[in-house]
Amino acid sequence: MMRRRALLAAGTAGLALVLTGCGGDDGRGKRAAAGPRPLTTSEAELMSTVRFLNYQRVRGQIHATVPAAGRTLRLTGRVDWTTHTGYAQVRVPGQPQNILVRWDLRTAYVHPNSNAQLPATPPRSGWQHRPLDPRANPIDAVLLLALSLGTDRPENAQLLRQGGASRLRSERLNNTPVTVIAGPKPPDSGDTAPPAPGTATGSAERRTRYWIDADGRLHRFAALVAGGKWATLDFPHGEAAPIPTVR
């Protein structure tokens, strides 16, 4: 378990290099007129449980849109936050075949797939593998981000506030009331100041966003990846099957 946490921490730190410092809207809703503000104590405590609640759920479904090379890739599958593995299908516009991917914190196993849906049972052979490269490949960044959203203990709420996490707005997502929170600064950003209230381009708003309901469940996550574009990960309700082993 200690080695797994170390790998996850290393992967998460590496992703800080992928997240850009660009501003911009994520295209998923109107900004609150008052602009962002620092988290209250209760909001920070709610956010501190998000990744731990995912870990307690064990697995979850994932639907993601990933901007890459001028196109939008669509990923549909599932992740296991306790084993830090995932299995999904990636649709590439303009390509005759989809791509199956099974991944962990270090490696992506890929396979061409002509089916429209993610196969319940993956092919037995024909898989190719490569190391994940989140700095150069936005899809790899999203694969690692998906795994990073689960951890075996709650986070420190006070550190989230000190790191610049801020409340952006309230809205409804798929008929569920959620609070949209901008995540704290990346570990190596060197920016320790929280955003000024009412500043739409405050430092905390420019990296990651969480759509969280009143119970601390994460419904959506968005991050700026290489190229200054928003990647969005949705986590629908429903059971998720175990992650298969591939060769």
Side-chain angles (χ1 to χ4, degrees):
M1 179 63 72
M2 291 296 294
R3 181 172 179 269
R4 181 177 296 159
R5 284 202 296 267
L7 283 172
L8 182 60
T12 304
L15 289 177
L17 299 177
V18 180
L19 305 180
T20 72
C22 301
D25 188 16
D26 60 7
R28 295 287 175 165
K30 296 181 179 179
R31 300 180 189 276
R37 60 162 172 75
L39 296 181
T40 64
T41 299
S42 61
E43 288 168 345
E45 290 174 349
L46 183 69
M47 186 180 181
S48 73
T49 66
V50 167
R51 297 170 69 214
F52 179 58
L53 291 177
N54 279 344
Y55 187 90
Q56 289 187 316
R57 288 173 55 198
V58 181
R59 293 181 296 272
Q61 300 181 45
I62 178 174
H63 297 164
T65 57
V66 186
R71 297 178 292 185
T72 299
L73 311 184
R74 299 190 180 277
L75 180 148
T76 304
R78 56 189 184 268
V79 294
D80 187 313
W81 288 295
T82 62
T83 61
H84 299 118
T85 55
Y87 175 56
Q89 176 167 260
V90 181
R91 298 182 181 181
V92 182
Q95 297 296 321
Q97 288 187 316
N98 300 314
I99 300 171
L100 298 179
V101 58
R102 196 276 191 191
W103 76 99
D104 54 36
L105 293 173
R106 292 180 171 176
T107 307
Y109 297 82
V110 296
H111 195 291
N113 177 39
S114 58
N115 298 329
Q117 303 295 327
L118 177 70
T121 302
R124 292 186 177 182
S125 61
W127 291 83
Q128 298 182 352
H129 62 88
R130 59 173 178 78
L132 291 172
D133 187 1
R135 299 187 188 186
N137 190 335
I139 190 70
D140 286 5
V142 168
L143 296 180
L144 284 177
L145 281 168
L147 300 185
S148 76
L149 293 172
T151 187
D152 62 357
R153 64 191 63 185
E155 298 179 76
N156 186 308
Q158 184 62 24
L159 291 180
L160 291 175
R161 297 185 70 195
Q162 293 175 353
S166 63
R167 180 189 182 279
L168 299 181
R169 60 182 179 269
S170 295
E171 62 182 46
R172 298 186 71 87
L173 181 64
N174 299 323
N175 294 321
T176 300
V178 294
T179 299
V180 186
I181 294 177
K185 62 180 177 59
D188 61 348
S189 73
D191 180 3
T192 59
T199 304
T201 58
S203 62
E205 190 187 42
R206 300 196 298 253
R207 293 171 296 273
T208 59
R209 297 178 184 176
Y210 300 73
W211 280 252
I212 306 169
D213 69 19
D215 295 322
R217 183 185 179 100
L218 180 66
H219 291 253
R220 173 174 290 166
F221 173 82
L224 281 170
V225 294
K229 301 292 185 180
W230 286 99
T232 303
L233 294 72
D234 284 329
F235 300 95
H237 285 271
E239 298 295 324
I243 308 301
T245 299
V246 301
R247 298 180 179 178

